Amino acid sequence: MNHLPRNMTLKAFDPHRADFACKHEADANPPFTAEADALFQQGMAATSYDLVFERRDYAKAAELWKQAAGMGHWKAALNLAGLHESGLGVPQDSEQALLLVEGLMKQGVPAAFDKMGTYHQRGIGVTSDTSRAYAFWQLAADMGSSAAQAHLGEKLDAAYDSPGEGFWGNREIGLKMLECGFAQGNGAAAHQLAMTLNNVDEDYARSLRIYHEGVKLGCKDCANTLSVRFDRATPLTGNIIDTARAERYSELGDALELNPDLRFPNLDKVLPLPPAALPIWDGKRETLWTPPSLWSPSQPRNPPPARSAPAAPTSRRGMCCGSRPALRRSRPTPMRPAAATGCPD
């Protein structure tokens, strides 16, 4: 048993490391065929968040993902492991989940090392061991896992150490990890990076852009943050109150609450950042991500003009302000990597 990847010798987690080299998981992941990806996508459709839970066919997805995994599709193998974790569509079998993840570890898939860290943190098929969990996440981040980079980047983005609460003061490295995760299209990394640039660095212009980019990546928290900020006078939005933009971000946040798989690559066409004018919107949530050429002009809703508000007094908030995730790291089950990436949760 000691030769299995789950029991591999690991370098201890070092929250005070002095360097971090950004790597992208796309450079490490094995390629897969169009045929395998078609099976994977069919499984995603069978379990779509657009379907009510009772209509999601996890048994069908399990069969499709098993076929795709057998053809070398690493995302399908991760999703299949998620089904075995939860017992959706297949008997609950943590050992089978571990074996699937270990197979991907042998292929050098960074997300598999991140997943193994979660198994050790939650005690899925192995003895719960937080130290080994962080060691696996550290290795995954160094290999290019955007999820691990987002997670550890958030943990290191603090002003001081508090291991009991799960964070450490190594902001320089934390920011590098967050920048790397964001560059790979990770919505969680976008949210944490934008938040720290806003709260700590007071770099409002870049923070606003990153929050907006995060919405494109499917980051619900980014959408909700911008909805709140555009609805009141804050430095992030230049002390401009813009209820029309706030409403649209709110609709996108609600949509992502229902379907975390949504992505909005054409967001700038329906919800550009100021000073660009907002296009007319018919008030229907779906049209915020429908191509503009398909918009229905039947009931246009003209946005009210934005108005300036007196600048509110601001205070420099510490790096640890606000609530932080608990030490226990949770992931949606089953894991559903986005076809274009790869959150997470």
Side-chain angles (χ1 to χ4, degrees):
M1 290 289 289
N2 288 334
H3 67 285
L4 294 175
R6 72 189 76 173
N7 298 319
M8 66 182 290
T9 300
L10 293 164
K11 182 180 179 180
F13 172 59
D14 180 9
H16 302 114
R17 59 189 296 174
D19 57 9
F20 170 74
C22 178
K23 292 184 180 180
H24 288 198
E25 53 196 331
D27 297 329
N29 290 330
F32 43 74
T33 66
E35 182 182 1
D37 196 46
L39 293 169
F40 169 72
Q41 296 297 344
Q42 290 174 44
M44 294 290 283
T47 56
S48 171
Y49 289 111
D50 287 333
L51 301 171
V52 296
F53 184 82
E54 291 76 14
R55 295 192 62 189
R56 297 175 196 170
D57 194 338
Y58 288 103
K60 178 180 179 181
E63 185 56 38
L64 290 165
W65 288 338
K66 182 177 180 180
Q67 293 179 53
M71 299 167 66
H73 200 293
W74 64 270
K75 293 183 183 181
L78 274 181
N79 278 15
L80 185 58
L83 294 183
H84 282 291
E85 289 173 37
S86 62
L88 288 171
V90 293
Q92 189 169 19
D93 187 340
S94 58
E95 179 61 23
Q96 185 59 37
L98 279 165
L99 291 173
L100 284 163
V101 171
E102 287 181 321
L104 296 177
M105 292 171 69
K106 292 175 182 178
Q107 297 178 57
V109 175
F113 290 84
D114 174 68
K115 188 72 163 174
M116 187 59 73
T118 301
Y119 285 173
H120 277 77
Q121 193 263 347
R122 295 171 56 192
I124 297 178
V126 294
T127 301
S128 180
D129 188 328
T130 300
S131 294
R132 282 186 65 78
Y134 273 92
F136 270 115
W137 291 329
Q138 176 177 256
L139 177 57
D142 287 337
M143 293 176 67
S145 166
S146 65
Q149 290 162 1
H151 182 62
L152 291 186
E154 186 272 337
K155 294 295 185 182
L156 300 181
D157 180 28
Y160 59 90
D161 289 3
S162 183
E165 296 180 83
F167 60 85
W168 295 266
N170 190 355
R171 190 164 185 262
E172 179 181 355
I173 299 303
L175 286 177
K176 287 183 177 181
M177 289 188 175
L178 292 173
E179 292 278 10
C180 190
F182 170 56
Q184 296 191 70
N186 186 285
H191 180 257
Q192 180 64 27
L193 179 60
M195 184 168 61
T196 192
L197 290 175
N198 178 67
N199 293 343
V200 181
D201 300 289
E202 298 180 356
D203 187 348
Y204 304 123
R206 184 157 188 252
S207 175
L208 180 61
R209 291 195 301 272
I210 293 174
Y211 272 128
H212 185 73
E213 290 299 313
V215 177
K216 295 180 185 179
L217 300 172
C219 173
K220 177 190 68 175
D221 291 337
C222 294
N224 290 338
T225 295
L226 291 181
S227 175
V228 170
R229 296 305 178 92
F230 273 111
D231 202 40
R232 63 187 65 171
T234 66
L236 179 68
T237 57
N239 294 304
I240 295 295
I241 296 176
D242 190 334
T243 56
R245 279 187 166 84
E247 181 182 6
R248 296 190 192 189
Y249 281 117
S250 178
E251 290 288 349
L252 293 173
D254 290 346
L256 287 165
E257 176 72 29
L258 297 172
N259 186 350
D261 285 342
L262 289 174
R263 299 294 181 267
F264 309 113
N266 296 318
L267 182 64
D268 291 331
K269 296 180 180 179
V270 293
L271 182 51
L273 285 172
L278 281 177
I280 292 175
W281 175 43
D282 64 6
K284 298 177 182 178
R285 177 183 297 175
E286 314 80 60
T287 57
L288 286 177
W289 56 87
T290 300
S293 61
L294 301 180
W295 284 9
S296 169
S298 56
Q299 294 181 328
R301 178 182 295 177
N302 290 303
R307 64 185 191 275
S308 297
T314 61
S315 61
R316 186 174 183 83
R317 301 172 66 187
M319 300 178 198
C320 299
C321 59
S323 61
R324 288 185 172 272
L327 185 60
R328 181 176 178 82
R329 187 190 196 202
S330 299
R331 290 296 185 82
T333 302
M335 180 181 174
R336 290 171 54 82
T341 61
C343 231
D345 126 70

